[in-house]
Amino acid sequence: MIVSRFAPSPTGYLHLGNARTAIFSYLFARHHGGKFILRIEDTDRERSSKEFEEMLLKDLEWLGIEWDELYRQSERFDIYREYALKLVESGWAYPCICTPEELEEERKLAEEKGIPYRYSGKCRHLTLEEAKRKGLPYTIRFRVPEGEVITFEDLVKGPISISADDFGDFVIVRSDGTPVYNFVVVVDDALMGVSHVIRGEDHIPNTPKQILIYRALGFEIPKFAHLPVILGPDRSKLSKRHGAVSVKNYREEGFLPEAMFNYLCLLGWSPPEEGREIYSKEELIKLFDLKDINSSPAVFDAQKLRWMNGVYIREVLSVDKLANYLTPFLREAGYEFEDEYLKKVLEKARDAFETLLEAVEKLRPFFVDDVVYSEEAKAVLENQSAVQVLNYVLLKLEEGELNAQRIKEVAKLAQKELGIKAKDFWHTLRAALTGELEGVGVDILCDVVPKERIIYRIRRVLTIF
């Protein structure tokens, strides 16, 4: 059975690179009808926080990633102690009583010689009983076979070989008893039946250490797929200097989960159908294959994401779903409306914005009657002809219903009877209804906003100006 996992540390907000890793792992499991596990790696007590864990879960749920099982490493310490003891008893691990000062001295000597640092191994012959008798703090180190070259077939990068002499004996349990990443990840992946480890390429140096632990404990070694990094536009590793880099940022800025999921999939993965970019989650599950992941880095393009978000807003989402996503943003801005009214607005004006946050401002004329007038709008409304136009419109609005077709008829009549240009009519009416000279079409406003509210805005202008 195919089992993949996503194993984040709750030490910060979910980075876009980690979100892509989660998506790829999720798609791989679902494509093969397998199991997807979420494991919170919170053994770092100082940096891990419940707040970050809650936000992490919220972001994954927002993206539409469902997990079959959820684990927290902080709840599994007894298991790690059991397997650490097994390694000590079998001779694959040993206690190390070297002090931080001694280890720092070793590092300095290595630097002076111009060679990579690796632990000298001077505690290799120390037994657990001897370490306990000395009464000194001790770590547990894994005994690395000297001279061995560890080779594995990476499903993205191809064959990779790393010499064990490059890293030497490494710590698997700290002196305070907390287990170290390279140890616990092996125990967890093995006991959880993980068949494929899909993660960032920054973990490649960890892989040979983990393979050695798998062997020492008699566990089956999973297949590894290391994903290339995501770069910013300047081709350096994507970071805060490139702008928003967390899922939380984009969620709060009004990006849609479907668009984010879709876009992140295309960062480093090439779908079989060339030229197509919009895919549903169901289609991506059907199409996803590790062999289609590019081994070279992908470049994050915020403008491309914004474009894709706009496509989802204009063409992909139903009006009902878009309204559900947009409502909290509009409520936060203080807008009051009925659900059906919002849907009517979106049917006419969903092409006016590319993010939900942008919609708050772009759709303001549909919700706010006490308009704030820009300096440009004031200049138009203070013109004597504006009074003539607005009084004319009020007169015509007394007759029948108001809609897009009716206001266009009124515009033609005004041009003929008042002798004004079309541009002046529409500029005046737009300034009166929205307080701006640009934005959604006046005909669309008149098609959606109730007639009495349009009249209120016009009379307000005549009172102020």
Side-chain angles (χ1 to χ4, degrees):
M1 181 182 185
I2 297 293
V3 180
S4 68
R5 49 76 163 175
F6 178 54
S9 298
T11 55
Y13 297 123
L14 182 62
H15 187 276
L16 293 179
N18 289 333
R20 183 191 64 169
T21 299
I23 289 171
F24 282 6
S25 297
Y26 167 79
L27 289 176
F28 180 73
R30 292 292 179 260
H31 176 80
H32 291 282
K35 184 192 297 183
F36 176 68
I37 293 172
L38 175 61
R39 187 172 69 233
I40 307 298
E41 300 198 333
D42 55 353
T43 58
D44 188 337
R45 292 167 173 168
E46 289 186 6
R47 296 177 60 221
S48 297
S49 79
K50 206 66 181 173
E51 175 195 349
F52 285 133
E53 180 185 321
E54 289 171 358
M55 188 59 67
L56 175 69
L57 297 177
K58 184 176 182 178
D59 285 342
L60 291 173
E61 289 172 347
W62 178 78
L63 284 168
I65 296 176
E66 311 101 356
W67 49 88
D68 300 299
E69 296 174 6
L70 170 63
Y71 298 93
R72 292 177 181 82
Q73 287 186 334
S74 59
E75 299 170 354
R76 297 168 59 80
F77 275 33
D78 288 344
I79 297 172
Y80 306 139
R81 289 191 195 97
E82 175 189 344
Y83 281 93
L85 187 58
K86 283 185 178 182
L87 287 174
V88 173
E89 289 174 345
S90 63
W92 277 106
Y94 60 90
C96 173
I97 59 173
C98 292
T99 64
E101 292 75 20
E102 289 176 296
L103 296 174
E104 183 59 32
E105 190 61 32
E106 285 189 3
R107 288 190 185 88
K108 286 181 180 178
L109 287 173
E111 286 178 11
E112 290 172 4
K113 294 178 181 178
I115 58 175
Y117 171 70
R118 52 169 287 180
Y119 175 60
S120 63
K122 63 183 179 181
C123 288
R124 265 190 162 215
H125 303 293
L126 191 66
T127 66
L128 195 56
E129 290 73 22
E130 289 172 334
K132 289 179 178 178
R133 278 201 304 270
K134 290 178 182 291
L136 299 172
Y138 62 87
T139 60
I140 301 294
R141 286 185 181 271
F142 185 85
R143 193 187 304 273
V144 175
E146 294 181 5
E148 180 170 351
V149 175
I150 297 96
T151 299
F152 62 97
E153 184 70 26
D154 191 283
L155 298 178
V156 174
K157 300 289 186 178
I160 295 176
S161 296
I162 298 176
S163 172
D165 291 343
D166 289 346
F167 50 83
D169 297 353
F170 54 93
V171 174
I172 59 172
V173 179
R174 302 179 184 91
S175 59
D176 64 359
T178 57
V180 173
Y181 167 78
N182 277 315
F183 170 55
V184 295
V185 72
V186 170
V187 174
D188 283 340
D189 283 343
L191 298 184
M192 294 171 191
V194 173
S195 62
H196 291 72
V197 174
I198 301 168
R199 58 190 181 188
E201 66 179 14
D202 54 317
H203 283 287
I204 289 177
N206 293 323
T207 306
K209 297 177 182 179
Q210 293 167 14
I211 288 174
L212 289 174
I213 297 174
Y214 276 108
R215 289 179 187 169
L217 289 172
F219 291 143
E220 183 178 348
I221 300 171
K223 297 184 186 305
F224 295 96
H226 289 96
L227 309 176
V229 298
I230 297 177
L231 304 179
D234 60 357
R235 302 198 71 81
S236 64
K237 190 172 181 180
L238 186 66
S239 65
K240 289 182 179 179
R241 69 175 175 276
H242 297 114
V245 293
S246 75
V247 172
K248 175 178 178 287
N249 290 146
Y250 282 95
R251 178 162 51 80
E252 292 175 347
E253 287 178 13
F255 284 78
L256 302 172
E258 292 89 346
M260 179 64 77
F261 191 101
N262 190 158
Y263 180 73
L264 289 177
C265 280
L266 301 181
L267 281 183
W269 174 72
S270 301
E273 189 177 338
E274 290 187 16
R276 184 182 170 193
E277 295 183 290
I278 305 300
Y279 292 89
S280 68
K281 185 168 75 171
E282 291 70 29
E283 288 175 313
L284 290 166
I285 288 172
K286 185 177 179 180
L287 295 171
F288 187 80
D289 197 317
L290 288 176
K291 68 178 176 59
D292 296 320
I293 294 177
N294 302 318
S295 60
S296 55
V299 177
F300 178 76
D301 185 343
Q303 288 305 117
K304 182 67 174 291
L305 171 59
R306 183 182 176 85
W307 166 82
M308 185 171 286
N309 205 65
V311 171
Y312 269 84
I313 286 172
R314 294 187 301 272
E315 304 172 20
V316 180
L317 292 190
S318 67
V319 168
D320 285 358
K321 194 162 192 178
L322 181 57
N324 286 339
Y325 283 143
L326 183 55
T327 293
F329 287 83
L330 299 180
R331 297 289 187 204
E332 179 69 21
Y335 298 169
E336 296 181 3
F337 53 89
E338 297 293 330
D339 292 345
E340 290 307 311
Y341 178 73
L342 173 58
K343 291 174 188 177
K344 190 176 179 181
V345 170
L346 293 177
E347 284 171 356
K348 299 290 184 178
R350 64 194 294 176
D351 61 346
F353 53 93
E354 289 188 316
T355 72
L356 303 179
L357 194 59
E358 186 181 31
V360 173
E361 187 57 37
K362 294 288 187 180
L363 300 182
R364 181 182 297 274
F366 292 98
F367 301 99
V368 177
D369 293 326
D370 292 331
V371 175
V372 176
Y373 308 97
S374 69
E375 292 304 314
E376 295 80 5
K378 287 178 182 177
V380 170
L381 296 174
E382 286 168 350
N383 193 296
Q384 185 58 39
S385 64
V387 174
Q388 187 181 20
V389 168
L390 295 177
N391 276 316
Y392 184 85
V393 171
L394 280 179
L395 180 67
K396 293 299 179 183
L397 289 187
E398 292 176 359
E399 308 166 8
E401 295 183 3
L402 174 64
N403 53 41
Q405 184 59 38
R406 175 60 180 154
I407 201 66
K408 289 176 182 176
E409 291 172 359
V410 171
K412 289 181 180 179
L413 289 171
Q415 292 170 59
K416 182 179 179 181
E417 296 180 15
L418 301 181
I420 63 169
K421 296 178 181 179
K423 174 186 172 183
D424 293 334
F425 176 88
W426 291 112
H427 262 200
T428 299
L429 195 52
R430 178 187 294 280
L433 299 181
T434 72
E436 302 288 345
L437 298 186
E438 294 181 350
V440 294
V442 172
D443 57 333
I444 294 175
L445 273 176
C446 291
D447 216 21
V448 176
V449 179
K451 176 179 168 181
E452 61 271 18
R453 289 173 57 190
I454 296 292
I455 290 173
Y456 169 83
R457 295 185 198 185
I458 293 173
R459 285 179 173 162
R460 181 171 180 264
V461 169
L462 293 172
T463 301
I464 295 174
F465 296 94

